[in-house]
Amino acid sequence: MALVHKLLNGTYILSKCLKPSVASCPFLSTRFADYCSSSLQKPVATPGKASAQRNSAGGLQGDHQREVALDVTSPEEKPEVSFDKAIRDEIKEHFWRLKDEIVNHWIGPEGRPLQEVIMEQARVVWQFRGKEDLDKWIVTSDKTIGGRSEVFLKMGKNNQSALLYGTLSSAAPQDGENSQSGYCAMISRVPRGAFDRKKSYDWSQFNTLYLRVRGDGRPWMVNIREDTDFIQKSNQMYSYFMFTRGGPYWQEVKVTAQIPFSKFFFSNQGRIRDAQFQLLLDKISSIGFTLADKVDGPFFLEIDFIGVFADPAHTEEFAYENSPVLNPRLFK
Amino acid sequence: MRDYGVERDLAVYNLLLDVFPKEVFLPRNVFQKIFIHYPRQQECGLAVLEQMESHGVMPNKETEFLLLQIFGRKSYPMLKFVRMKLWFTRFKNVNPFPVPRDLPTDPVDLATLGLRRIEPDLSAKVTIYQMASSRDSTGTADPTEQHIVGIQSPGQQAALARHSPARPVFVEGPFSLWLRDKCVYYHILRADLEPPEEREVEEIPEEWNLYYPMQLDLKYGRSAWDDYEFDIDEVEEGPVFAICMAGAHDQATLAKWIQGLQETNPALAQIPVIFRLTASTGELLASSSGLEEPCPPPAQEEEEEEDKTQRQQQGQS
């Protein structure tokens, strides 16, 4: 199962805190525990490396998967180690999901009745009310390229918001390749269906992104990636700025950032492209927040929820026009 | 360039570009035009422009003329210049909460700027309770007095006056606020949310305003397609009564702030104030480990000290 999964998805790396019992976390092959800490900090994902296995099933897996030493101690109980049981659990889980999908298809798109989906004007896409909501996000920083920023994600007070905090350090790694450094990012996981197929979000009836956040005055960047199987498109994303105001207010004056989707500009591999086109909303795969403002120091961002809604007052389709100086081919 | 402090000076960048020899790197025939002519030099020019971009310096006509003379119209530095001109003008005013480029160096001015930014109510008043001074103050161990600047809006004053003395208010902090590249810390005075039983709805009597009704209970026929509310419970938090920025984060300084607040809010004298000072990661302490501070005059009994969790956060830039 793990081998098949690897073939399907290449190196898709996730990290998660190790849960002590196998039965509660059946996704063996999709979860790679780097290390576990007692306070529920999200470990930093390391892309591009081969998978690290849970220690229980590690020794029994195929030999082309590297084992990583884990310093996991669960003093209360030893985890129930059974490779076959884990595989069976996972297969059952996937078939359950498949059955859900087929049944939902009869009810309506995404399992909700068609009338509700058509009429809805505002949808909450991500909310942070429990630990399982945090699992939908990956947190990265420039540690992957050798920098020194740290970033952690945890539930805020009263389990009513998520707090992304850490320290940014723009000291460039001395590896001869990177001249600048210093970024932290929180990216949502790609939604998965049965058998870990990639699913995408369809926001074509909405036109504004709504974020209820509380920050500390730093400028963040919101990135949206489209769902695509083309390799050439895998580095493309649409971004825009999110300026936080700072301050304790959340309730009275909501520091909401309402960003219409027309304002997202297109970039490839981190560079803004000359040929701009509007963000098409029918296949969105993930959204992310990045902080890279070249100022060293601690930061935090508290997020209440992220939603999309259809602003009837916003009629702009796309905010940026192409210029004939940069793109003579478009204007022939 | 940061060592000399001129990284945002356009004239310096133009002088740097002036160093390049003119008209040597221009491509002369079609073959030179196809291949990148003098690639290392173009990369060098690109590096200068990149530094300009990362510091947010907008190039001007002189830069354009220099680049034309040095590299020619179709070169990469020229292309980057065109892109900078385009995208910088597009994103110049994109910040809805702009911070001025030249931040005041005086901490009191900085605190005022920060507080005005945090508090959206324009009728709020900024009060300077104490100016920073390096003179020896009587009786305190450390010789410098830290500045204390506070802000409170009339609505908050009214809310504090209405607050019942049976429930304590908390001084929480320090929270960090970044103004471009300076970090200041602020504390807030807030109360917990009242449980729903105790929440009283203020009834405005009908005779209060004879010109138009204060309360309208109209139900326009809004059906499902007009529903723009999000299907989520809002995070409810207690009201904030005042915010302050102080030079030091210890309890003595904050106590002075509370004393200063009492002059405008006499009700504060009756309300117990608990200090919850943490090493800030931006979250508020859930546990109530704080020192109950006996407020000066009247009627505050000293309770036993609980352990104070107070850690200063280093790295204040």
Side-chain angles (χ1 to χ4, degrees):
Chain A
M1 182 69 191
L3 307 181
V4 170
H5 164 74
K6 266 210 76 150
L7 287 170
L8 280 176
N9 289 40
T11 54
Y12 182 64
I13 311 296
L14 307 165
S15 11
K16 190 178 199 272
C17 285
L18 190 68
K19 293 223 175 91
S21 65
V22 169
S24 68
C25 181
F27 308 109
L28 246 196
S29 53
T30 55
R31 301 290 188 250
F32 308 98
D34 273 343
Y35 49 87
C36 183
S37 46
S38 53
S39 72
L40 285 158
Q41 293 176 347
K42 265 246 175 290
V44 170
T46 56
K49 298 228 178 76
S51 53
Q53 276 289 327
R54 287 155 65 95
N55 55 354
S56 52
L60 307 167
Q61 284 291 334
D63 43 7
H64 61 264
Q65 283 166 343
R66 254 190 281 138
E67 275 189 41
V68 166
L70 297 165
D71 52 341
V72 163
T73 48
S74 61
E76 302 89 40
E77 57 190 52
K78 284 204 78 85
E80 207 7 86
V81 169
S82 161
F83 181 58
D84 299 320
K85 181 169 184 300
I87 291 280
R88 256 180 285 129
D89 280 342
E90 185 152 0
I91 294 180
K92 264 192 272 185
E93 168 78 29
H94 281 302
F95 274 110
W96 194 258
R97 276 206 217 160
L98 183 65
K99 175 220 129 212
D100 277 339
E101 268 182 33
I102 297 176
V103 166
N104 287 343
H105 194 68
W106 284 107
I107 304 177
E110 293 156 32
R112 289 145 72 216
L114 182 67
Q115 189 193 17
E116 195 187 303
V117 172
I118 286 186
M119 300 279 265
E120 92 180 319
Q121 303 288 323
R123 186 197 293 184
V124 176
V125 190
W126 286 279
Q127 59 185 14
F128 296 97
R129 296 285 183 266
K131 296 282 181 317
E132 61 277 355
D133 295 322
L134 285 187
D135 290 339
K136 296 193 191 138
W137 294 82
I138 308 177
V139 172
T140 43
S141 77
D142 64 354
K143 276 218 167 83
T144 58
I145 54 171
R148 277 202 287 270
S149 320
E150 300 177 332
V151 60
F152 310 104
L153 176 69
K154 66 176 187 177
M155 286 305 290
K157 89 168 175 148
N158 287 343
N159 267 10
Q160 286 198 337
S161 55
L163 182 67
L164 178 75
Y165 67 99
T167 321
L168 196 69
S169 145
S170 57
Q174 312 283 335
D175 58 356
E177 243 181 64
N178 303 305
S179 62
Q180 15 192 2
S181 165
Y183 71 89
C184 303
M186 175 166 128
I187 312 165
S188 72
R189 285 188 213 260
V190 181
R192 298 268 159 178
F195 300 107
D196 281 338
R197 280 177 302 128
K198 269 200 292 193
K199 285 199 295 194
S200 60
Y201 298 104
D202 179 11
W203 295 337
S204 33
Q205 64 210 99
F206 306 107
N207 68 356
T208 313
L209 180 71
Y210 183 100
L211 306 143
R212 191 157 185 254
V213 299
R214 172 160 59 183
D216 55 348
R218 290 227 197 190
W220 290 74
M221 197 141 186
V222 183
N223 308 316
I224 298 188
R225 306 185 66 146
E226 281 189 332
D227 173 28
T228 173
D229 282 325
F230 299 137
I231 300 181
Q232 290 83 1
K233 276 196 173 187
S234 58
N235 283 327
Q236 296 174 354
M237 62 186 179
Y238 293 81
S239 352
Y240 198 63
F241 312 100
M242 173 173 83
F243 292 98
T244 53
R245 187 188 195 149
Y249 287 119
W250 193 318
Q251 183 73 17
E252 297 171 39
V253 177
K254 296 183 260 224
V255 181
T256 57
Q258 278 184 29
I259 311 176
F261 285 120
S262 63
K263 287 237 190 297
F264 279 82
F265 56 85
F266 174 67
S267 57
N268 181 4
Q269 294 234 332
R271 303 264 177 191
I272 304 184
R273 291 279 113 182
D274 292 336
Q276 289 287 330
F277 196 71
Q278 70 176 75
L279 166 64
L280 296 170
L281 292 156
D282 53 345
K283 266 189 182 302
I284 305 276
S285 118
S286 72
I287 200 172
F289 301 96
T290 312
L291 176 68
D293 64 347
K294 303 189 254 281
V295 173
D296 295 343
F299 65 90
F300 73 90
L301 182 78
E302 227 178 309
I303 312 178
D304 180 13
F305 71 92
I306 299 169
V308 286
F309 81 107
D311 190 359
H314 186 80
T315 48
E316 187 187 37
E317 276 196 16
F318 190 51
Y320 311 107
E321 47 183 31
N322 290 307
S323 98
V325 179
L326 286 172
N327 268 328
R329 266 178 271 164
L330 285 178
F331 287 85
K332 279 238 192 70
Chain B
M1 273 167 100
R2 222 176 262 226
D3 302 330
Y4 291 103
V6 291
E7 70 262 12
R8 276 198 249 120
D9 197 353
L10 179 58
V12 177
Y13 286 108
N14 285 338
L15 286 173
L16 268 182
L17 282 176
D18 219 0
V19 172
F20 284 101
K22 319 280 181 299
E23 312 217 350
V24 178
F25 305 141
L26 294 174
R28 252 173 271 258
N29 51 30
V30 66
F31 298 105
Q32 286 176 348
K33 282 191 201 134
I34 298 175
F35 299 101
I36 307 178
H37 199 52
Y38 282 100
R40 296 290 151 255
Q41 285 77 359
Q42 288 204 9
E43 275 171 27
C44 190
L46 274 178
V48 175
L49 284 173
E50 260 190 51
Q51 179 156 4
M52 241 203 273
E53 174 187 6
S54 79
H55 287 292
V57 179
M58 176 83 185
N60 66 355
K61 282 229 174 290
E62 198 187 329
T63 325
E64 181 179 6
F65 187 59
L66 276 169
L67 285 174
L68 265 181
Q69 275 186 320
I70 302 169
F71 291 110
R73 192 177 295 276
K74 297 279 188 176
S75 59
Y76 281 102
M78 196 61 204
L79 205 54
K80 185 174 173 70
F81 168 80
V82 174
R83 285 188 190 121
M84 270 166 84
K85 216 165 55 154
L86 177 71
W87 290 104
F88 274 18
T89 42
R90 272 182 184 163
F91 293 141
K92 196 164 147 65
N93 296 322
V94 81
N95 190 348
F97 314 113
V99 184
R101 196 84 249 208
D102 303 310
L103 287 171
T105 42
D106 181 22
V108 176
D109 285 339
L110 195 63
T112 321
L113 180 72
L115 283 174
R116 281 254 170 250
R117 186 187 160 83
I118 294 181
E119 174 68 59
D121 196 347
L122 288 174
S123 55
K125 282 202 329 221
V126 177
T127 336
I128 304 179
Y129 295 107
Q130 193 174 297
M131 297 286 292
S133 68
S134 50
R135 289 190 301 270
D136 215 79
S137 66
T138 58
T140 52
D142 55 336
T144 62
E145 282 186 358
Q146 302 291 339
H147 64 279
I148 305 177
V149 189
I151 191 171
Q152 194 180 36
S153 75
Q156 289 171 335
Q157 260 183 321
L160 190 53
R162 276 201 307 263
H163 189 83
S164 69
R167 315 190 48 252
V169 292
F170 305 99
V171 175
E172 279 164 358
F175 301 110
S176 60
L177 171 75
W178 284 90
L179 294 165
R180 226 172 255 281
D181 54 348
K182 290 213 173 80
C183 185
V184 291
Y185 296 93
Y186 62 92
H187 296 258
I188 56 180
L189 181 74
R190 67 134 40 107
D192 269 342
L193 202 55
E194 296 167 29
E197 312 76 70
E198 291 180 28
R199 251 177 264 185
E200 40 174 64
V201 180
E202 224 177 281
E203 297 273 342
I204 307 179
E206 287 217 13
E207 305 82 28
W208 193 77
N209 186 344
L210 291 172
Y211 292 101
Y212 48 85
M214 299 301 290
Q215 247 175 330
L216 261 188
D217 210 7
L218 296 173
K219 275 194 182 48
Y220 291 110
R222 273 196 161 191
S223 50
W225 63 71
D226 254 348
D227 180 22
Y228 294 106
E229 305 289 323
F230 283 99
D231 187 19
I232 190 171
D233 310 318
E234 277 208 354
V235 173
E236 300 250 330
E237 285 186 0
V240 175
F241 293 125
I243 314 176
C244 94
M245 280 196 196
H249 305 308
D250 59 333
Q251 197 160 320
T253 331
L254 294 171
K256 289 208 194 100
W257 170 49
I258 303 282
Q259 280 177 18
L261 265 184
Q262 277 179 342
E263 289 159 28
T264 44
N265 303 289
L268 191 55
Q270 319 289 335
I271 308 177
V273 177
I274 303 185
F275 285 78
R276 278 189 193 163
L277 305 168
T278 73
S280 96
T281 53
E283 67 154 337
L284 310 170
L285 261 190
S287 63
S288 65
S289 58
L291 183 65
E292 182 133 22
E293 149 87 359
C295 274
Q300 293 309 312
E301 58 276 1
E302 289 239 0
E303 310 229 329
E304 66 277 356
E305 272 194 23
E306 294 154 86
D307 34 319
K308 216 160 48 162
T309 62
Q310 175 186 332
R311 277 163 276 146
Q312 299 270 354
Q313 185 172 20
Q314 61 275 59
Q316 183 172 356
S317 53

